[in-house]
Amino acid sequence: MNKNVLKSLMVAAIMLTGIYSCNTPSEPKKEEATKTETPANGGQSAVQDDQSAKDIVKVAIGSKDHTTLVTAIKAAEYVDVLANTGPFTVFAPTNAAFDKLPKGTVEGLLKPESKKALRNILEYHVSIGVFKLENLKDGQVIGQANGDNITITMKDGKPTVNGANIIASIPASNGIIHVIDAVLLPPAKK
């Protein structure tokens, strides 16, 4: 085949491809719509996705040892915040940790008029970024979402957070959860 004829055929094929692509609809067909769309009245936590790795909130919801924490997150209206991309490190007290607080403390914090105090406590359990267990160092100070700091201390070769023991670490799609055996209380504001 002649080189000029071959060039002409290639140019014609490229032009036809360009014309065709300009005339195809850019909107997906109704049956092609994804099943992970967010409802108009929901945030990130409302996205239905049973195939991806679970985010911090979904991990906590699936834990029988964190029902009090999940209730607090819902009462503070922080579900969507912790379901977002992050990355976050959450120091997650167990139900037993909340049980160590003086009687009536949790119930009082869950009242609507205590939302600001509850948010402050919850934010004191959240760091922006991922702090893996193996990277925590003695004396390390980590800024928390509420603006205060926590301090890592090594005890018998294992890190503690303001004296609370880390009893497990669970990776999530948007960060990491360190399960702790005490509730972290922010320092009093001066």
Side-chain angles (χ1 to χ4, degrees):
M1 190 179 268
N2 180 326
K3 283 186 179 182
N4 288 335
V5 172
L6 189 55
K7 279 184 183 177
S8 297
L9 286 173
M10 288 179 68
V11 169
I14 291 171
M15 288 175 45
L16 286 173
T17 302
I19 291 169
Y20 176 75
S21 66
C22 290
N23 289 329
T24 57
S26 60
E27 296 288 321
K29 294 178 184 174
K30 198 169 200 166
E31 63 270 12
E32 292 176 6
T34 64
K35 294 186 183 198
T36 59
E37 292 177 9
T38 304
N41 61 349
Q44 182 65 27
S45 63
V47 174
Q48 291 290 39
D49 181 359
D50 297 326
Q51 296 179 348
S52 299
K54 292 181 178 181
D55 62 48
I56 287 169
V57 174
K58 289 181 177 115
V59 171
I61 288 171
S63 169
K64 64 180 175 43
D65 295 322
H66 290 91
T67 56
T68 305
L69 178 62
V70 170
T71 299
I73 290 169
K74 289 178 180 178
E77 297 178 359
Y78 272 168
V79 173
D80 286 325
V81 172
L82 290 174
N84 279 323
T85 305
F88 304 111
T89 296
V90 174
F91 297 95
T94 61
N95 294 339
F98 281 102
D99 291 343
K100 293 178 187 177
L101 294 173
K103 187 175 180 172
T105 302
V106 174
E107 293 79 10
L109 286 169
L110 294 176
K111 292 180 179 179
E113 61 269 17
S114 300
K115 188 183 287 187
K116 184 176 179 181
L118 178 60
R119 285 183 171 188
N120 185 44
I121 292 170
L122 290 174
E123 288 174 357
Y124 192 58
H125 289 79
V126 178
S127 304
I128 307 302
V130 175
F131 295 92
K132 293 183 178 181
L133 197 59
E134 61 268 18
N135 296 332
L136 298 177
K137 305 287 183 228
D138 191 44
Q140 183 177 7
V141 175
I142 300 172
Q144 299 303 93
N146 75 337
D148 290 315
N149 296 319
I150 57 169
T151 303
I152 304 299
T153 306
M154 298 305 281
K155 181 179 173 185
D156 299 325
K158 295 180 181 177
T160 65
V161 182
N162 288 6
N165 295 304
I166 298 175
I167 53 179
S169 293
I170 305 159
S173 65
N174 61 342
I176 191 164
I177 302 167
H178 295 304
V179 178
I180 55 176
D181 65 356
V183 176
L184 305 176
L185 297 175
K189 299 290 182 197
K190 296 176 183 177

